[in-house]
Amino acid sequence: MSEPESAAEPPEHRPIVTPTRVVAGVCLIAPFVAMLWVSSYARIEPKLVGIPFFYWYQMLWVPISTALTAVAYKLVQREQRARKGGVAK
């Protein structure tokens, strides 16, 4: 069997910016953009169980940020394993 083309290339010839890394970067930047764009959530309505939108929107981003960070970590980890010649899971 022949090896995949990317596995045959020496590490210095492989691209540094890959689609996987771009997706991981977007996953990491999205929470910052969402929190820095204050005018999008600087309001009181709609309330959720009496909590103004301003507060529950920010708190909603805590688990979203956690999930996006985990996705970015797994993507980069998988790519690094593939670059080293390991089996990506």
Side-chain angles (χ1 to χ4, degrees):
M1 288 194 155
S2 64
E3 292 182 351
E5 188 176 307
S6 63
E9 293 180 25
E12 56 271 358
H13 294 293
R14 293 182 189 162
I16 294 173
V17 178
T18 61
T20 302
R21 289 186 180 193
V22 170
V23 171
V26 169
C27 286
L28 295 173
I29 290 174
F32 289 104
V33 172
M35 290 293 93
L36 290 175
W37 188 20
V38 179
S39 63
S40 70
Y41 63 93
R43 57 180 184 240
I44 295 173
E45 298 292 331
K47 291 184 178 184
L48 180 68
V49 293
I51 301 171
F53 180 75
F54 181 79
Y55 295 112
W56 69 259
Y57 176 82
Q58 292 178 61
M59 294 308 294
L60 179 65
W61 273 98
V62 173
I64 292 172
S65 298
T66 303
L68 289 173
T69 302
V71 167
Y73 174 76
K74 286 296 186 182
L75 287 172
V76 171
Q77 187 179 42
R78 179 184 297 168
E79 183 183 10
Q80 285 178 344
R81 254 190 309 225
R83 282 178 176 258
K84 291 180 183 177
V87 178
K89 291 183 180 180

